[in-house]
Amino acid sequence: EDQVTQSPEALRLQEGESSSLNCSYTVSGLRGLFWYRQDPGKGPEFLFTLYSAGEEKEKERLKATLTKKESFLHITAPKPEDSATYLCAVQERGNNRLAFGKGNQVVVIP
Amino acid sequence: EAQVTQNPRYLITVTGKKLTVTCSQNMNHEYMSWYRQDPGLGLRQIYYSMNVEVTDKGDVPEGYKVSRKEKRNFPLILESPSPNQTSLYFCASSVRPRETQYFGPGTRLLVL
């Protein structure tokens, strides 16, 4: 069973059309949850780290939130340059490995 | 500039021919890691290292070896590559496991 599940797999948005990406996780104790952005052919680029339920972080048009079972990445009034694959990863307490979800591929149409 | 570098960026090889992909970071990070990324499977961790001479298996270690003789370097070794190891490989580093990982630009490997 996957520890990290991201939905939807793919999303097409009109420029300015706000939406949310979901990352649900099943680890027994969360040490940290990470959001990354990845452009085609490039390495993942760090966006946010969340450590405890209720925590929120914001950067430009992106806002990440965390509950005990899932995280959301809200994209407000997206622009074409927000087109990318967004990756969620979790680290479990007592475990030094990092488990990634399969990503949310976002395309923003002008 | 703080960065993680990988070499080579692109590699075509044949089955059974040993190869090494190098990874180096200039941020004095203790934690380093290797991932492979395949369509439909996402990023999967191959090996990680907590510090010099300390390495451990990730989720898909079969067919790979690593070493950590110096803090800045973490090479990935494929002793006898097979076609199912054709993939995009990323190296990453962080201060500690729970901290942000910084990724290299990737190495695209094709094994014929």
Side-chain angles (χ1 to χ4, degrees):
Chain A
E1 181 186 344
D2 288 345
Q3 288 185 305
V4 185
T5 303
Q6 292 186 246
S7 62
E9 285 185 21
L11 188 62
R12 286 172 67 90
L13 298 170
Q14 287 293 135
E15 184 171 359
E17 178 189 0
S18 301
S19 188
S20 296
L21 312 177
N22 177 265
C23 170
S24 62
Y25 59 92
T26 58
V27 298
S28 55
L30 183 70
R31 186 187 249 177
L33 185 142
F34 306 84
W35 280 101
Y36 287 86
R37 170 195 170 121
Q38 187 176 26
D39 294 305
K42 295 193 173 181
E45 179 185 325
F46 169 73
L47 292 173
F48 304 109
T49 307
L50 302 166
Y51 292 110
S52 56
E55 194 174 355
E56 298 184 352
K57 292 215 175 143
E58 216 165 333
K59 178 181 177 181
E60 295 180 356
R61 295 177 293 282
L62 301 176
K63 180 179 176 180
T65 62
L66 180 65
T67 71
K68 287 187 178 179
K69 293 291 183 189
E70 59 192 349
S71 176
F72 291 93
L73 185 65
H74 307 280
I75 311 177
T76 301
K79 298 183 177 182
E81 53 261 43
D82 295 321
S83 298
T85 295
Y86 293 86
L87 302 172
C88 174
V90 301
Q91 190 165 58
E92 190 175 18
R93 286 190 195 281
N95 189 332
N96 293 314
R97 302 208 301 262
L98 195 64
F100 278 83
K102 294 184 176 129
N104 308 98
Q105 186 177 26
V106 174
V107 174
V108 182
I109 303 159
Chain B
E1 181 191 351
Q3 60 182 353
V4 178
T5 57
Q6 297 178 225
N7 282 293
R9 295 290 314 280
Y10 305 92
L11 181 59
I12 301 174
T13 190
V14 294
T15 299
K17 187 176 180 183
K18 181 179 179 179
L19 66 91
T20 300
V21 183
T22 64
C23 171
S24 183
Q25 51 93 5
N26 62 1
M27 295 170 279
N28 201 36
H29 286 167
E30 291 189 354
Y31 185 85
M32 295 186 74
S33 185
W34 275 103
Y35 298 86
R36 60 178 289 174
Q37 188 172 39
D38 302 288
L41 296 177
L43 270 165
R44 293 178 294 167
Q45 197 168 31
I46 304 171
Y47 269 96
Y48 64 91
S49 169
M50 298 289 288
N51 212 328
V52 175
E53 303 292 0
V54 181
T55 64
D56 210 344
K57 296 177 182 177
D59 295 316
V60 288
E62 295 78 21
Y64 303 94
K65 281 177 59 177
V66 292
S67 69
R68 187 95 181 270
K69 293 182 169 46
E70 305 167 280
K71 198 171 187 178
R72 64 182 292 130
N73 296 323
F74 190 44
L76 179 69
I77 303 155
L78 284 71
E79 297 253 343
S80 182
S82 62
N84 64 14
Q85 292 178 299
T86 292
S87 188
L88 179 58
Y89 291 87
F90 290 103
C91 180
S93 74
S94 62
V95 175
R96 284 176 292 277
R98 69 169 286 178
E99 303 292 335
T100 302
Q101 289 196 35
Y102 295 91
F103 283 78
T107 295
R108 193 168 290 278
L109 172 65
L110 173 61
V111 183
L112 300 172

